[in-house]
Amino acid sequence: MLEIDGVGMGVNWMRFLDETLLNKPTPQPPQTQAQTGSQTPVMPPQITVQVDANSDPSKPTNEDISAANTLIQTLAGQYQPPPPDITVDDPTTKAAQSAIQDSQTQYDNAVANQQTRLNTLTNLQSDPTTSAADLKNAQTDYNNAQTATTKAGRELEVTTDAGYMIAYAQQADSDKGAIAPAQTAADNATTALQKLMPGFDPKNPPPASACKTPEQLGAY
């Protein structure tokens, strides 16, 4: 039994939540160096459930489902660790980041459209003057919007995974390029110190007190 705001939800709710977690991904685009820093977690919205003596928790309304979707997505965003920083700035990385951003926008638009269709369907369902044809069309529009959201979410997952792989590969190549000059400088410094201190072993260096001259101490 699941409880939200103190209201017991039946097995159908738990199945719904389980399926929603699998079908509603919300990946985030990779961060750049400017986006680093701690972020205050966003408090999840509370679900207000209107119940009376005739309410059946195993049969949630469209409004309950929409509220549950919002809650699930908010919680998922809080517990998803942020991706590593991307500091490299080259055309390939920019293209990967742009593709992820575009895919995220398409997913956000699909979610917004689904919400609009849901609102329309809900309004028609509560209007006693609504014709059966209009209600059927609204239900079809909502079903199509839901399918489009699921498709956009899966495309976002694929695009994000591929984009991360490209961006992180470019970052790794950039990091390797930075390591080489540093290693060369360290090797040159070791060679110079060995000339000033015969027998100097970089793997087992002596203490600074072993330096006998200002030149040795400076090189050390």
Side-chain angles (χ1 to χ4, degrees):
M1 176 70 72
L2 176 69
E3 290 192 359
I4 299 180
D5 273 4
V7 178
M9 299 299 173
V11 123
N12 288 345
W13 260 105
M14 298 188 70
R15 184 183 301 111
F16 164 76
L17 294 176
D18 196 28
E19 293 174 353
T20 302
L21 284 172
L22 293 175
N23 294 331
K24 302 294 181 185
T26 53
Q28 297 299 316
Q31 295 179 339
T32 61
Q33 184 65 29
Q35 294 173 305
T36 58
S38 60
Q39 295 183 351
T40 304
V42 178
M43 295 302 294
Q46 296 294 317
I47 296 180
T48 302
V49 181
Q50 301 295 335
V51 296
D52 54 36
N54 298 320
S55 297
D56 185 354
S58 68
K59 297 178 180 179
T61 65
N62 288 329
E63 293 89 340
D64 295 336
I65 293 174
S66 176
N69 276 333
T70 300
L71 176 61
I72 290 168
Q73 292 171 6
T74 302
L75 290 175
Q78 285 188 27
Y79 291 101
Q80 181 179 7
D85 294 334
I86 300 296
T87 59
V88 67
D89 187 20
D90 64 275
T92 301
T93 302
K94 287 182 177 179
Q97 291 174 325
S98 177
I100 294 174
Q101 292 284 5
D102 290 345
S103 188
Q104 181 72 54
T105 298
Q106 292 178 9
Y107 175 74
D108 292 342
N109 291 340
V111 171
N113 181 60
Q114 180 182 344
Q115 184 61 53
T116 299
R117 300 298 183 183
L118 175 60
N119 294 340
T120 300
L121 176 60
T122 301
N123 291 335
L124 290 176
Q125 287 175 333
S126 60
D127 185 354
T129 64
T130 301
S131 66
D134 288 343
L135 188 59
K136 180 179 179 181
N137 290 336
Q139 183 67 58
T140 300
D141 290 342
Y142 173 73
N143 292 343
N144 291 339
Q146 190 174 40
T147 300
T149 299
T150 301
K151 179 181 178 182
R154 290 171 178 169
E155 290 177 351
L156 176 57
E157 281 188 325
V158 173
T159 303
T160 300
D161 288 344
Y164 280 173
M165 290 178 65
I166 294 173
Y168 294 156
Q170 294 298 108
Q171 184 69 50
D173 289 342
S174 176
D175 292 343
K176 289 178 182 179
I179 291 174
Q183 184 63 54
T184 299
D187 292 342
N188 292 339
T190 299
T191 300
L193 189 55
Q194 287 174 331
K195 291 181 179 179
L196 293 173
M197 299 179 64
F200 175 82
D201 183 3
K203 295 182 179 179
N204 187 27
S209 58
C211 298
K212 305 300 183 182
T213 65
E215 290 79 8
Q216 289 179 342
L217 185 60
Y220 186 90

